[in-house]
Structures are given as structure tokens and as C-alpha cells.
Amino acid sequence: MEADITLLVNGRQHTVRVDPATPLLYVLRDQLQLNGPKFGCGLMQCGACMVMLDDVAWPSCQLPVHDVTGGIRITTLEGLAKPDGTLHPVQQAFVDEQAAQCGFCLNGMVMSTVATLQQYPQADEETIRNGMMRVLCRCCVQHRAIRAAQKVVAANKKP
Amino acid sequence: MPTSRRHFLQTTGCLTIGFSLLGPTWATAATEAADELPGSLGDYPRIDSWLEVLADGRVRVLTGKIELGQGIRIAVAQMAAEELNIPLNRVDVVLAETDRTPNEGYTAGSGSIENSATAVRYAAAAARQKLLALAATQLQTRAFQLKTQNGVVTAPNGQTRTFAQLLGGQQLTDEVRLPLALKPKAEYQYVGKAVPRPEIERMVRAQEYYVQDLRFPGMLHARVLRPFNYDSKLVQFDENELKRAVPGLAKAVVNGSFVGLLAEREYDAKLAQDWGKQHVRWTEGRALPAGQPLKDYLRTLPNTPKRVQDKGTLTTAPTLRASYYKPYLMHGSIGPSCAVARYDAAQRRLEVWTHSQGVYPLREALADLLKMPVDTIHVKGVPGSGCYGHNGADDVAADAALLAVATPGRHVRVQWAREDEHCWEPYGSAMVLDLAARLDPATGRLTHWHQQVWTDTHSNRPGGNADKLLPAQYLAQPRRPADNGATDPSAGGYRNADPLYAIPNLRVDAYFFQGPLRVSALRALGAYGNVFAIESFMDELAEKAGLDAWDFRLRNLQDKRAIAVVERARAIARQQQVGENEGLGFAFAQYKNKAAYVAVVAKVSIHEEGTPYRPQLWAVIDAGEVINLDGLKNQTEGGMIQSASWALMEEVKFDQHQVRSRHWEAYPIFHFDEIPYVDVTVIDRPTEPPLGAGEAAQGPTAAALANAVYRATGKRVRELPLRPEKLTREA
Ligand code: FES
Ligand code: FES
């Protein structure tokens, strides 16, 4: 049965009336009209639907929305840039490295990298690759994504 | 489509062929004659077909191509900005849309730059010339005394006019005429440079960009229920029961074996589809040929032979024979196909938003499907997930169109599920290739070559025909193509089957079968299999003759640009150290024997379990004049990685009843830990025409990997994919 569900998305509270079993992805895209998280498989196999739950990158396509209430901070790609529009360093690095072709996988790569570098600001290549393991990219820009992440790490290292 | 100069020339060309020994090449020569308008201008010679000057001075470029991630948007913008001397950010681009942009057919075959961007270049140059002429009149001076910068024309006396002022609300309706002075290349600001694609920022900002992002008031969400087998028929579907299970279901549309499930919310449409998978009954359909080696099976199928090349004599005593195989491969878009459609019953008009590669051909196919006049259908191209060829884009647009007509007045968005995409997209055909060649041991030159190719078609696009739209085949009155429907069953199958090497006696035979799986165009079409076979075989021949693989190729190449690419690759290879269990391989091809030249060097290191894990790949590419350096690199890097994923792990699997590769776990592709290291060297040839490059790395990469694996392990793998068990197996 439907219920009112309150979610904390990108720093704002939203109350939606949905079946609590609805996967978070559908609520984000349909009720909240967000474009960041994408539908890629619905099977937790491709990472297109990646969001951050508090500080962890997690696929949203099979995650019942009632599991992410109670003040869990849900961050989507939309929530990364500053209010004045300045891109998050990871977003900026992806633009600088032109790490996209069609860009459909970009959400997953950016969200995963943000989470990885939050935890490991000095991440080495293997940690970076590991952080994006859940994400598939068929245009195959992965090495550019790795380069983008490395660029952010290099900037982190500067005093 | 307007009757054009190009069509005229092609037609005359055809008339001449009967009398000419030159054969079909005549038509090509004619279209390339100096006074022939380049690219798609032949079909659309008017300037305003390609660009418009807006009131605020911005310039709008219209391309009949769609953005697939290949960067056509930036390429056409660069061309226009360059020739008009305006900043790049003053150029807007409109992508393929019926009645709005030129009809450039399909965005395929790496032709976007050669056809569309070249047309825009000439249209912009003609526009500049015309604008200067207008300014000369209005400012009472002479055109050569005028300067134009940032969309403003300045006379020697300092008087100025903007482009918009010059036109006074009109557009440039003149036809582009040759000869035409193009901007000197030395003055280029944008073309040839690594200009970033502005849409990437839109993507990282999660702005609306994809067809999947379109939202209209009152839009319905739909999924289509598909059986497990191509030939299954609907036996039983109980709508009431479904309605009880999924109260959010708004409506079910059943027409024969086509079942569309619509809901106000997307999740309910998904639930309805999930329910349908469990509860709806279908007939079994046709058995698939499981449980036998596909390679052998495909040879046994009835086929239509075609002699593609026949030069000189056939040898009875080849130096070597070998047989190769390439399995069925998937496009595997990350975002499953999606489309939106709306039918206005009062006006009898249909609107469709699609990521199809061809909005005009799709419109005709939909007109045929729905029995509507073509001009009552409007099709707008919107980017989707990268497609790498003909995937489910047209089919899902047909799904949406059928459901929209059944639900007038509402936008209907159809989203394929992952399983729909994996099971129903048209795959790249499996191919069997038998090669035999003879070489003169004294000279190391090839004297004879015989290539035999068994393949299904590599082009099954709908064109204007509804038969090939998936849902049409399941309606109560099904539209099923008599055969597999290819207008030309041979399309793409022998692409690159004719080696670029100078071989006096050359025969290419192709045998076209209708295989068990649905197929169509996948990046590089038959060139992937043909180049894999040719370049593996070249290594085998070199070894047999005791020649160095590089020398052997260079000895047999005559094309100077090919030689340059191969030599550059050799220089890269020579710098590599090769350790134990490691191998260095290489391969070369010119895509279609007329597009970009690519040589790939691969270095593999074989792990204990037999995996050539995370190889290193270097490409050297000559794509003629470079338009966007970073775009060209991006395409080539991506092409190598994708091809390596195909070559090392991919193969569509099926059992007797159905395709087993139903999702990513059942059809693994590269994950992040496996991604090769890639590097691309570009040979820029500013004075040569730009050549299609997006598909050029596919074949050489596969062969370079197989050759590298051979060097590392001594195992010659002739059947893709290069699975570990094939590398560890005792010889
Ligand atoms: S859509 Fe969630 S992992 Fe693929
Ligand atoms: S850029 Fe297209 S899927 Fe990654």
C-alpha cells in the first residue's frame, strides 16, 4: 500500500506518496524528476543508477525507498555542484578530461569516484578502479575516467 | 528527397557502367569529381538547409545526423565557426529531425564527418562569401576590403554590420557553388584542435539531455511484454488478473502477440511487465541450434553465394590455409532503448522522440506500419545511450508509436528492460572465415589469396519498411519479412574481406546464410571478423615463411599512407620490453579499404589462469584531415577497448529455447579492473579529406590481441573470444 515517505535528497526533504517497496531510482526519476541517476539494468549490475547514501556510493535501482528514510543523506549527481553552480572537483575533472562519449554511464562513474576519493583522497590507480567496479561503460571511456580521478588526487596532494 | 546532382551523376554513372570496363568505380569517381558538391551537399545544396543566422547573431547549424557520443555536434559547430569566423559558443546545433534538418539517412558507417561536417564546412564558406557580398553592397565597398570577426563585418571606414543586420530577417537560400574559397588551413582556430564537447558539461550537471529524460505532462509509461523465443505466439494473457496484481496498470494494449502495458508511473509498468513474465503463456516457438559447435552448424545452413572479388587465378597449392570464427556479439547499450510518442487523433498526427540513427527512414517505416501518410509523422532525434550500430532504437520507437495510436492524446514513453535489450536487439552476426594464400618464398610477396566468408547480413535496418520493426512482426496481422529482410543480404558481410595488400591473384567468396539469431549492423560490420582473420593469417603466413611479421606486411603493402601507419606502429612496438609470459602483437587495416588507416600494437601478459589481463594497446591512426583531435582519440581509444572486450570475453549464448545472455552477468563485458591501457598516435594529414574513423580500430585490435597471445603462449586462437581455457589447453 502507498504511504508518505520522507527522503533527504541533495540536502532537501521531500515527501512522496508511493509504495514503500518502490526502488529509490523510480522515485528520484519520476517523483523528483531528477536526471542524474539513470535506468540501466534494474539488476544492480551496471551502476547507471548510482547515488550516494551518506558517504557510500550505492545503486538505487533495487533499493526500496523505505530503506533510505530516517535522515539518510541521499546525494544524486544534481547535488554535487555548489549552489553557485561551481562543479565538484570530480565533475570538473571529467569535463576537463572529456571522459564521456554518450555519457550515459557518467553518473555512475562520477558518483563512485566522489565516494572513493572522499574516503581515500590519495587513492592510487587500483583503488580508483576498484571504486568504479560496479559501473559499466560501453563506449569505453574508462581510462579517461581513471585519468580524471587521478587528476583530482594529484590536486588533493598539492599542499 | 530532392533529386540532386549526386543522384543525377549516380544514375548517369549506372548507365555508363554497361559500356565501361571500369565498372562500378566510375560512379565513385564521378561523385568525387572536382565540381561535385562534397558530403551531403549533393542532396541539399542550399545554404539554409545547413545553417541559419539568428536575430541575436548566433548561428544555427542543422545536421541530419544524430549525436551518438561520436561528437558530431562539436564537429559541425567547429566547421561553421571556422568558416564564418565566429566564436564556437555562438553556434547552436540542431540534430536530425524530420522536416527540419536535411535527410542524411542513417548516422552510420563512420560517415558523419565525411558527409555532414563537410557539407556544413562548404555551406558556411558559401555563407561567408554571400554575407561579404551583401555587406559590400550595403556598405558600398568591395568584398575583399571587408573583415569579418565575431559575426560582425567591418568596412575600411569602420562602418559595421552584423550578419543578422545584413540579412534583415532573411536566410541564405542560395545554392552552394564550386569552386569555393575555403578558409586557409593555416588560419584555423578550431578545426584540427582538441576542442572540448560542451555537452559533456551538461551531462555531468545532470541536465535534461537524453530521450530517457523527456517528461511531458500526463505522460504514460509503458513496457512491452516479449516472449522468450523469436517465434513464440501469445497463448493466454489475463488482463483482469494482471490488474488485480498491479492496480497501477492503466491499460493493456493487446494486438496479436504484441502486448503493451501502460501505467501512470514507470514503476507500475515495470511491475506489470514482471508479472507478465511469470504469468503470461506463449507457444514454444522455434528450436535454436544449441548443443553443437556453432561454427560447424553455420556452414551447414543453406546460403546464397556471391563472388565478391575475382582477379587472376586460384592457386591449387596454397602455402597455408586456416579457418577463423567470430561469434554473435551484442551492441549492449548501457541504457536500454527508449522512445516517446504522442498521437493527436483530431489532427491525425504522430510525434515521435527517438534515439534512432535515422529519423527519416524511421518515419517512412512508421508510416508503412501505421498506414499513415508520411507527412503526418514528425520524428525528432534525441540522444540516447551509445548504440554502436543498429540496436533496439527503431523497435522501441515502433512500440511507442503503436501504443500512442492506441492511447490518443497522451505522450507514451516506452522503456525497454535490460532483458529486452539483451535478448531482442539485433546482434552482430557470427562469421566463419576460411583463408588460403600462397606466397613466393623468394620475394616474401603474396601471390594468391582466397577468402571465403560465411555470414548473415550485417545490415537489417528498417529503411522505409515496417517489416523489420520488431513489434510489427507480432501483430495480429504480422508483418514478417519473407527472408531475414535485408534489402541486400550481403550488406557489410564482406567489408574488408579484400585485403589491402597487393595480391595479384585474389578471390573473395561470400556465402550468406540466415542464422538462428536476429542480426543487424554492429560497429564495423563484417570488417571486424574479416580483419581479425586476415591479420591473424598474415602473422601465420609470415611465420611459415620465416619472415618478420612487420617486414612481411610492409613488403606487401603499396599504399603510402598504409606504410606510414605501419612503420609508426613498428617504432612504438620496438620500444617495448617483453618479459616472460608476455607477447607483443600487431595488426593493420584501412577501414572499408577507403576510410581511416589504423595499426594496433597489443602487449599482453598472460596470468596463470590464462587471462590476458589488462593488456596495453597502442593505435596509430591516419584519418586524413583531423577535425577534432580529442574526438578522434576518444573514438579510437574507445574502439580499442570495446574491441578488446569483444575479443577477450564476449559471445552471445543460447540454448534450445532462448537466448541465455539475458543480462550483464550472463554476457560479461569489461569491468573497470580489466580496462586496457590505451594510447593513440594521430597522423594528421590536413590536405587530405577527413575520413571516417569511429569503427576503424575494431578489426585491428582483435587481431593484434590474438597475435600477441600467440607470441606469449604459442597458442594460435582462431575462434573468438580469446577465452582463458583456449590459452591454457594443451596443444
Ligand atoms: S540500473 Fe542500477 S545497477 Fe544498473
Ligand atoms: S560514455 Fe557511453 S556508456 Fe560510457
Side-chain angles (χ1 to χ4, degrees):
Chain A
M1 268 308 93
E2 293 199 346
D4 284 334
I5 304 267
T6 299
L7 302 170
L8 181 58
V9 180
N10 298 331
R12 281 185 48 205
Q13 295 224 331
H14 298 265
T15 301
V16 291
R17 190 156 184 86
V18 290
D19 175 350
T22 308
L24 176 61
L25 174 66
Y26 292 93
V27 174
L28 295 174
R29 285 198 68 89
D30 298 345
Q31 271 79 21
L32 305 190
Q33 311 225 329
L34 295 171
N35 293 319
K38 303 269 188 295
F39 173 74
C41 66
L43 305 166
M44 299 200 21
Q45 293 177 357
C46 76
C49 60
M50 202 68 77
V51 296
M52 273 168 69
L53 304 175
D54 291 337
D55 298 318
V56 179
W58 198 259
S60 63
C61 62
Q62 289 197 335
L63 185 67
V65 69
H66 68 74
D67 283 1
V68 287
T69 54
I72 292 178
R73 283 177 289 117
I74 302 166
T75 310
T76 71
L77 190 58
E78 285 85 347
L80 293 182
K82 291 209 188 116
D84 71 358
T86 313
L87 292 176
H88 185 283
V90 171
Q91 287 173 304
Q92 188 60 52
F94 271 73
V95 173
D96 294 344
E97 293 301 319
Q98 293 283 291
Q101 280 183 29
C102 78
F104 207 84
C105 62
L106 206 59
N107 172 69
M109 299 203 292
V110 170
M111 298 312 289
S112 306
T113 304
V114 168
T116 305
L117 299 190
Q118 252 171 36
Q119 199 180 353
Y120 309 102
Q122 318 259 308
D124 61 9
E125 184 188 324
E126 296 312 311
T127 311
I128 289 169
R129 285 185 183 244
N130 228 337
M132 288 191 270
M133 271 299 277
R134 281 175 174 276
V135 184
L136 297 176
C137 168
R138 190 56 161 168
C139 301
C140 298
V141 302
Q142 293 97 333
H143 69 112
R144 287 181 173 230
I146 295 166
R147 214 160 63 201
Q150 287 172 327
K151 208 169 159 181
V152 179
V153 171
N156 287 344
K157 280 186 180 157
K158 286 204 191 103
Chain B
M1 197 190 288
T3 329
S4 70
R5 194 179 163 74
R6 174 189 294 177
H7 286 149
F8 170 75
L9 279 168
Q10 272 171 352
T11 325
T12 11
C14 288
L15 287 173
T16 318
I17 281 169
F19 310 97
S20 165
L21 287 176
L22 297 175
T25 51
W26 194 91
T28 325
T31 54
E32 282 165 11
D35 68 336
E36 173 67 354
L37 290 173
S40 303
L41 268 182
D43 293 329
Y44 290 86
R46 270 169 61 153
I47 297 174
D48 64 347
S49 297
W50 299 96
L51 58 91
E52 295 168 358
V53 175
L54 307 183
D56 64 357
R58 301 177 70 81
V59 168
R60 178 187 286 148
V61 174
L62 305 137
T63 167
K65 300 288 180 182
I66 179 128
E67 180 63 55
L68 309 169
Q70 87 282 36
I72 187 61
R73 190 191 284 272
I74 189 69
V76 294
Q78 282 174 274
M79 292 298 208
E82 198 68 86
E83 292 298 331
L84 288 167
N85 247 350
I86 55 175
L88 200 53
N89 61 12
R90 306 276 290 162
V91 181
D92 295 340
V93 177
V94 178
L95 300 171
E97 182 174 346
T98 56
D99 299 325
R100 181 102 196 271
T101 68
N103 177 356
E104 294 191 85
Y106 286 106
T107 304
S110 301
S112 300
I113 298 260
E114 284 173 65
N115 301 317
S116 203
T118 307
V120 170
R121 165 180 276 174
Y122 279 81
R128 180 168 183 272
Q129 205 174 57
K130 185 75 199 169
L131 287 163
L132 286 179
L134 283 172
T137 316
Q138 292 182 20
L139 299 174
Q140 295 178 343
T141 170
R142 273 180 281 174
F144 69 84
Q145 293 180 306
L146 294 165
K147 291 207 165 29
T148 162
Q149 191 73 40
N150 298 343
V152 178
V153 182
T154 312
N157 64 5
Q159 269 193 299
T160 61
R161 286 278 192 289
T162 65
F163 288 174
Q165 284 169 338
L166 288 168
L167 289 171
Q170 306 289 304
Q171 291 300 341
L172 294 163
T173 55
D174 310 64
E175 292 199 357
V176 178
R177 294 211 190 283
L178 300 183
L180 187 64
L182 295 174
K183 183 169 177 175
K185 290 183 196 280
E187 289 172 26
Y188 277 178
Q189 255 185 298
Y190 301 115
V191 171
K193 310 280 186 322
V195 181
R197 293 166 53 206
E199 62 268 26
I200 293 183
E201 182 164 339
R202 272 184 77 178
M203 294 167 185
V204 299
R205 285 189 187 277
Q207 284 165 358
E208 178 188 304
Y209 180 77
Y210 303 94
V211 69
Q212 284 89 345
D213 297 335
L214 294 175
R215 297 180 183 86
F216 296 96
M219 184 170 81
L220 286 167
H221 292 272
R223 296 237 178 151
V224 173
L225 207 52
R226 299 217 136 89
F228 289 97
N229 183 287
Y230 293 127
D231 283 339
S232 295
K233 300 255 171 342
L234 183 64
V235 175
Q236 200 210 349
F237 165 64
D238 185 338
E239 187 177 342
N240 292 326
E241 209 184 312
L242 169 56
K243 185 83 191 159
R244 272 194 296 280
V246 184
L249 181 80
K251 175 173 176 169
V253 174
V254 182
N255 180 346
S257 295
F258 172 77
V259 184
L261 305 168
L262 296 91
E264 302 286 340
R265 290 182 179 183
E266 184 175 5
Y267 183 53
D268 287 323
K270 171 200 149 51
L271 289 178
Q273 189 188 35
D274 290 350
W275 182 91
K277 281 195 185 135
Q278 300 298 319
H279 297 91
V280 171
R281 296 208 348 257
W282 307 86
T283 61
E284 271 212 0
R286 154 176 60 111
L288 297 171
Q292 52 187 317
L294 200 50
K295 182 181 176 193
D296 302 338
Y297 171 79
L298 296 176
R299 280 182 203 272
T300 67
L301 289 174
N303 64 56
T304 312
K306 177 168 173 174
R307 177 144 303 162
V308 181
Q309 268 278 357
D310 195 10
K311 203 168 70 178
T313 58
L314 200 63
T315 174
T316 46
T319 311
L320 198 65
R321 291 176 192 280
S323 175
Y324 301 86
Y325 172 72
K326 176 242 145 187
Y328 283 101
L329 293 174
M330 210 177 267
H331 298 77
S333 290
I334 296 302
S337 295
C338 180
V340 180
R342 179 178 179 274
Y343 180 65
D344 182 331
Q347 306 271 334
R348 297 187 188 215
R349 283 187 61 83
L350 178 72
E351 280 178 282
V352 180
W353 291 261
T354 173
H355 56 98
S356 163
Q357 287 178 286
V359 292
Y360 282 97
L362 173 61
R363 171 164 81 165
E364 287 190 21
L366 290 176
D368 180 27
L369 173 67
L370 302 167
K371 299 291 165 243
M372 288 175 67
V374 171
D375 59 6
T376 60
I377 303 177
H378 180 82
V379 181
K380 183 171 164 58
V382 185
S385 187
C387 62
Y388 330 104
H390 176 201
N391 70 347
D394 294 290
D395 301 318
V396 76
D399 287 341
L402 284 165
L403 295 177
V405 168
T407 322
R410 304 279 301 262
H411 287 85
V412 177
R413 174 186 187 269
V414 181
Q415 169 70 68
W416 277 18
R418 172 46 51 202
E419 194 174 86
D420 298 334
E421 192 78 24
H422 263 57
C423 298
W424 290 92
E425 67 146 274
Y427 308 119
S429 177
M431 296 169 77
V432 180
L433 305 113
D434 284 358
L435 276 63
R438 184 180 171 81
L439 55 83
D440 176 349
T443 60
R445 291 234 165 83
L446 290 159
T447 57
H448 296 77
W449 189 286
H450 187 196
Q451 179 128 346
Q452 293 175 282
V453 185
W454 283 261
T455 183
D456 203 331
T457 181
H458 290 261
S459 180
N460 223 343
R461 297 178 186 276
N465 186 345
D467 296 13
K468 289 182 237 163
L469 295 170
L470 188 61
Q473 302 169 5
Y474 297 85
L475 299 177
Q477 292 181 339
R479 298 280 307 264
R480 282 233 156 168
D483 48 22
N484 63 7
T487 336
D488 174 6
S490 67
Y494 52 86
R495 181 170 287 182
N496 279 89
D498 163 358
L500 195 71
Y501 303 104
I503 308 168
N505 302 286
L506 172 66
R507 185 174 290 182
V508 178
D509 287 309
Y511 310 97
F512 303 103
F513 58 73
Q514 286 180 41
L517 303 182
R518 185 175 190 235
V519 292
S520 191
L522 171 64
R523 196 174 191 178
L525 313 192
Y528 177 73
N530 281 312
V531 172
F532 162 68
I534 291 171
E535 288 295 299
S536 297
F537 196 51
M538 285 297 284
D539 258 31
E540 297 197 57
L541 280 166
E543 186 179 348
K544 178 99 183 182
L547 292 166
D548 170 78
W550 295 93
D551 287 341
F552 177 51
R553 284 180 178 78
L554 286 166
R555 247 180 242 199
N556 286 283
L557 277 174
Q558 283 175 352
D559 183 315
K560 292 214 171 57
R561 291 167 71 179
I563 292 169
V565 161
V566 171
E567 282 183 337
R568 199 65 171 264
R570 173 157 68 174
I572 291 170
R574 282 194 170 145
Q575 288 164 11
Q576 307 312 316
Q577 312 285 331
V578 183
E580 211 184 321
N581 294 323
E582 292 188 338
L584 206 55
F586 116 96
F588 159 80
Q590 180 186 23
Y591 185 51
K592 301 189 205 173
N593 288 352
K594 62 177 192 200
Y597 300 82
V598 174
V600 173
V601 177
K603 182 175 171 188
V604 300
S605 160
I606 309 294
H607 290 216
E608 238 164 70
E609 56 301 355
T611 46
Y613 188 73
R614 214 187 278 181
Q616 276 176 274
L617 299 166
W618 296 263
V620 178
I621 179 164
D622 168 357
E625 180 196 6
V626 174
I627 306 303
N628 189 324
L629 183 61
D630 193 57
L632 179 59
K633 285 191 172 178
N634 200 347
Q635 282 293 306
T636 309
E637 294 163 355
M640 282 198 285
I641 298 175
Q642 187 180 61
S643 173
S645 178
W646 292 356
L648 297 182
M649 44 207 320
E650 299 184 26
E651 179 170 29
V652 175
K653 298 246 173 75
F654 54 84
D655 63 21
Q656 222 192 323
H657 307 287
Q658 57 180 292
V659 169
R660 301 295 329 169
S661 306
R662 311 187 76 78
H663 48 69
W664 292 119
E665 274 169 16
Y667 185 87
I669 62 173
F670 273 166
H671 279 79
F672 253 90
D673 58 337
E674 293 151 315
I675 298 303
Y677 295 99
V678 289
D679 183 77
V680 175
T681 302
V682 175
I683 300 181
D684 189 5
R685 300 211 181 260
T687 54
E688 298 286 345
L691 298 174
E695 303 166 283
Q698 306 307 108
T701 304
L705 282 165
N707 291 339
V709 160
Y710 174 72
R711 298 267 156 66
T713 64
K715 298 274 184 325
R716 172 56 65 180
V717 181
R718 300 189 186 89
E719 297 182 23
L720 292 172
L722 296 152
R723 295 296 303 161
E725 56 276 13
K726 298 181 190 165
L727 310 189
T728 47
R729 200 189 294 143
E730 289 304 311

